[in-house]
Amino acid sequence: MMKRLLDFLNASPVNFLAVRNFVNELQQAGYQRIDPREPIGEVKAGDKLFVTKNDSSVYAFHIGSKPLAEAGLRMICAHCDSPTFRIKPKAEMTCEGGIVKLNTEVYGGPIMSTWFDRPLTIAGRVIVRGDDALNPTTLLLHVKRPLLQISNLAIHFNRQVNDGVKLSKQKDMLPILGIVTNELEQGRLLTNVICSELAVNEEDILDFDLYLADATPACTFGVHNEFISSGRLDDLSMCFAGLEALLGTPDTDTTKVLAIFDNEETGSQTKQGAGSPFLAGMLKRIALAQSGTQEAFYQAVERAFMISADNAHAWHPNYSEKYDPTNHPVLGGGPVIKFNAAQKYASDAVSAAVFAEICRMAGVPCQRFVNHSDVAGGSTLGNILASSIPLRGVDMGNAILAMHSCRETGSVADHTYTVKAFSQFFKNS
């Protein structure tokens, strides 16, 4: 199980690659792609369907043996984007000595200092000319070697660096790509990489969505290999746990849904984010195709339960003062139910009790997280989705350290626990 997770993390440096890998897994398991531009057609018990949006979100449906209106939905939601740096258009900046750096902008809220002095690469999608102006061709790019680096200023020029330094997103976070060796390379280093990797002509490239990614493979560490070290654990580890549970459970009475959204790190308000009506629309169409009426959708929602799966903060042994004194989950302690009095999380006493009971039935320990009252916390997609589909649900996740770092730390045991809990959730109980 752990090798599959590490392989998935290494093959999924950005959202587009993660969704491609999900699609491959779903298709190998017999799931059929829905074209949202076409009628869905007949939907019957046991059908396995999926649909994508923007190449960066994916929604899978395993239709239960009982009608939606009668049995409802069991839904696991997560997100496949992570904080990083987006490469701007016209990105190449040639400096003295022919050194080329790339102009970037921040995506989400990364811990910027963790991106310094480590081998980086680029990944994303490149849009090339097709036969139809409204439907160009999308090619996915993942340069599988160290390609760039953001280098620190030497301590001799910045004696206060270990006292904390404010970083400029525009000045300090620009990666070095290479050195121009001839006039033909001037302004074309990045383009040459793209053309070489994808075997396309420069004149056919129309645009791109490209991002920086850590080039160091994910791994386990610790005396007992009990920890996971990787970029993008938030939230690809939850995405993959949901996929493992979906594919590992048989046909059930209740329809199972796995929804992997994009753009959670920037607020979810996109056509492929949790704030979009896309998932609600697809569920309505499926309900209509199954029963002949959309009324079944509204009945199913009232019988549904959602797990919003997004990682939680693990207690850090060096910073215990930052955590709530009685609700601070630890690495290896099991899935974490997240609470917030300001309703930033979907959890309430009822939904928390449901998830805790699921964990008990699965033989899995369960923890709870509440923010220290003097330390502001984040939010996630649970409540955003519930604002368009009024689902009963819980916000949970595995505890990790260094959330939004270039490399985060998680627990091997927690991943196994969560897959067991998700599998129990998807089974009839």
Side-chain angles (χ1 to χ4, degrees), residues 305 310-315 322-340 345 347-360 364-372 394-400 414:
F305 194 90
D310 198 358
N311 282 310
H313 297 293
W315 178 80
K322 294 293 185 181
Y323 296 84
D324 182 77
T326 61
N327 298 279
H328 46 265
V330 296
L331 291 169
V336 179
I337 302 171
K338 302 191 289 187
F339 294 90
N340 183 269
Y345 300 132
S347 309
D348 56 26
V350 174
S351 63
V354 169
F355 185 74
E357 183 66 4
I358 289 167
C359 288
R360 185 194 67 78
V364 168
C366 183
Q367 307 183 86
R368 285 166 169 78
F369 170 81
V370 184
N371 280 306
H372 187 293
V394 64
D395 265 302
M396 57 73 62
N398 280 341
I400 63 171
D414 285 340

Side-chain angles (χ1 to χ4, degrees), residues 12-30:
S12 306
V14 292
N15 48 2
F16 305 110
L17 277 298
V19 167
R20 182 198 64 183
N21 295 328
F22 276 123
V23 167
N24 290 341
E25 293 270 358
L26 290 168
Q27 289 178 325
Q28 290 175 20

Side-chain angles (χ1 to χ4, degrees), residues 32-167:
Q32 303 297 313
R33 183 188 289 270
I34 298 171
D35 185 343
R37 300 169 297 183
E38 302 292 337
I40 290 179
E42 181 185 7
V43 173
K44 58 185 184 301
D47 281 353
K48 297 178 179 181
L49 311 169
F50 77 92
V51 62
T52 63
K53 188 71 172 175
N54 189 52
D55 300 319
S56 64
S57 63
V58 59
Y59 313 86
F61 313 91
H62 188 169
I63 307 301
S65 60
K66 292 183 178 179
L68 282 168
E70 180 181 340
L73 303 160
R74 297 194 184 186
M75 184 184 302
I76 294 175
C77 304
H79 66 91
C80 61
D81 63 318
S82 300
T84 180
F85 296 85
R86 185 178 188 274
I87 299 174
K88 293 182 180 180
K90 299 180 180 179
E92 293 188 37
M93 305 168 71
T94 304
C95 310
E96 281 196 50
I99 293 176
V100 175
K101 61 184 180 180
L102 293 183
N103 195 6
T104 63
E105 59 179 330
V106 172
Y107 177 88
I111 304 177
M112 294 195 298
S113 61
T114 64
W115 287 76
F116 282 116
D117 303 321
R118 64 171 68 242
L120 304 174
T121 188
I122 59 173
R125 65 179 177 182
V126 176
I127 311 303
V128 299
R129 185 171 286 108
D131 296 330
D132 179 359
L134 289 179
N135 294 285
T137 300
T138 297
L139 301 175
L140 299 185
L141 175 67
H142 179 193
V143 180
K144 297 180 179 180
R145 66 178 180 89
L147 187 67
L148 316 99
Q149 185 163 296
I150 304 172
S151 293
N152 252 306
L153 182 65
I155 193 171
H156 310 78
F157 302 126
N158 187 7
R159 296 290 184 181
Q160 288 75 45
V161 66
N162 291 324
D163 299 327
V165 173
K166 182 176 177 57
L167 296 172

Side-chain angles (χ1 to χ4, degrees), residues 292-311:
T293 172
Q294 281 194 8
E295 179 65 23
F297 163 75
Y298 298 102
Q299 292 177 270
V301 167
E302 295 305 314
R303 290 179 167 88
F305 194 90
M306 169 194 65
I307 295 176
S308 169
D310 198 358
N311 282 310

Side-chain angles (χ1 to χ4, degrees), residues 134-415:
L134 289 179
N135 294 285
T137 300
T138 297
L139 301 175
L140 299 185
L141 175 67
H142 179 193
V143 180
K144 297 180 179 180
R145 66 178 180 89
L147 187 67
L148 316 99
Q149 185 163 296
I150 304 172
S151 293
N152 252 306
L153 182 65
I155 193 171
H156 310 78
F157 302 126
N158 187 7
R159 296 290 184 181
Q160 288 75 45
V161 66
N162 291 324
D163 299 327
V165 173
K166 182 176 177 57
L167 296 172
S168 164
K169 297 173 184 178
Q170 183 61 67
K171 175 182 173 58
D172 297 313
M173 306 311 299
L174 306 187
I176 297 170
L177 176 63
I179 298 176
V180 171
T181 59
N182 58 65
E183 290 185 3
L184 294 177
E185 290 185 332
Q186 185 69 40
R188 288 191 175 89
L189 279 190
L190 178 59
T191 302
N192 289 346
V193 170
I194 295 171
C195 291
S196 174
E197 290 285 329
L198 298 179
V200 297
N201 296 321
E202 180 180 349
E203 57 269 22
D204 290 329
I205 297 173
L206 302 177
D207 217 322
F208 56 72
D209 292 312
L210 294 177
Y211 299 85
L212 304 188
D214 184 12
T216 306
C219 65
T220 57
F221 72 99
V223 172
H224 309 291
N225 279 317
E226 62 266 56
F227 302 117
I228 309 168
S229 173
S230 175
R232 308 173 302 284
L233 288 178
D234 176 26
D235 192 34
L236 289 184
S237 60
M238 292 289 95
C239 294
F240 197 68
L243 181 70
E244 294 276 65
L246 180 70
L247 300 186
T249 51
D251 291 2
T252 59
D253 291 344
T254 307
T255 293
K256 299 179 288 188
V257 180
L258 177 64
I260 307 299
F261 295 100
D262 191 12
N263 304 130
E264 189 275 341
E265 300 294 355
T266 56
S268 296
Q269 301 302 315
T270 61
K271 61 185 180 298
Q272 59 274 359
S276 166
F278 182 75
L279 176 58
M282 290 304 305
L283 289 171
K284 288 177 183 178
R285 293 171 68 180
I286 289 172
L288 181 62
Q290 184 188 58
S291 66
T293 172
Q294 281 194 8
E295 179 65 23
F297 163 75
Y298 298 102
Q299 292 177 270
V301 167
E302 295 305 314
R303 290 179 167 88
F305 194 90
M306 169 194 65
I307 295 176
S308 169
D310 198 358
N311 282 310
H313 297 293
W315 178 80
H316 195 304
N318 294 345
Y319 303 97
S320 60
E321 72 278 5
K322 294 293 185 181
Y323 296 84
D324 182 77
T326 61
N327 298 279
H328 46 265
V330 296
L331 291 169
V336 179
I337 302 171
K338 302 191 289 187
F339 294 90
N340 183 269
Q343 305 301 302
K344 290 185 177 181
Y345 300 132
S347 309
D348 56 26
V350 174
S351 63
V354 169
F355 185 74
E357 183 66 4
I358 289 167
C359 288
R360 185 194 67 78
M361 294 172 66
V364 168
C366 183
Q367 307 183 86
R368 285 166 169 78
F369 170 81
V370 184
N371 280 306
H372 187 293
S373 296
D374 293 329
V375 179
S379 60
T380 186
L381 56 83
N383 273 352
I384 293 172
L385 179 62
S387 66
S388 60
I389 309 176
L391 295 158
R392 183 174 56 140
V394 64
D395 265 302
M396 57 73 62
N398 280 341
I400 63 171
L401 293 173
M403 187 179 291
H404 290 197
S405 172
C406 189
R407 288 186 77 89
E408 298 158 327
T409 297
S411 161
V412 170
D414 285 340
H415 180 69

